[in-house]
Amino acid sequence: AVSACQKGGQWVRALQLFRQMADSSVERNTVSYSSAISACEQGDQWFSGLMLFDEMAHFHVEKNIITYIAAVRACGKGGHWEGALQLFREM
């Protein structure tokens, strides 16, 4: 559902659903995190996207190339080029 909302341009709803997953004890995985980070990019919320990216390590959720690209794009769209370059180096 998070991915469908994000792909449909409903980034606010995508982030709401993502947060509800945690509140409902639904496990969030790499796909749901990547979709939420992409939703942050769509909504010009690059800092929130980076927070979600960093949160993944805390909850032991594996990052993949899609996750990194979503975070890099969020940083780039927000003009945070230093963060985008740092993420690119980590890939």
Side-chain angles (χ1 to χ4, degrees), residues 5-7 9-11 37-44 77:
C5 288
Q6 178 267 319
K7 289 177 183 173
Q10 298 179 7
W11 67 271
I37 294 167
S38 291
C40 289
E41 177 215 341
Q42 288 177 348
D44 295 323
K77 189 170 181 184

Side-chain angles (χ1 to χ4, degrees), residues 13-44:
R13 184 68 182 135
L15 292 175
Q16 288 171 341
L17 288 171
F18 183 77
R19 285 176 178 60
Q20 288 174 355
M21 289 173 73
D23 295 341
S24 301
S25 300
V26 175
E27 184 178 351
R28 297 181 292 179
N29 59 22
T30 303
V31 173
S32 60
Y33 268 98
S34 296
S35 295
I37 294 167
S38 291
C40 289
E41 177 215 341
Q42 288 177 348
D44 295 323

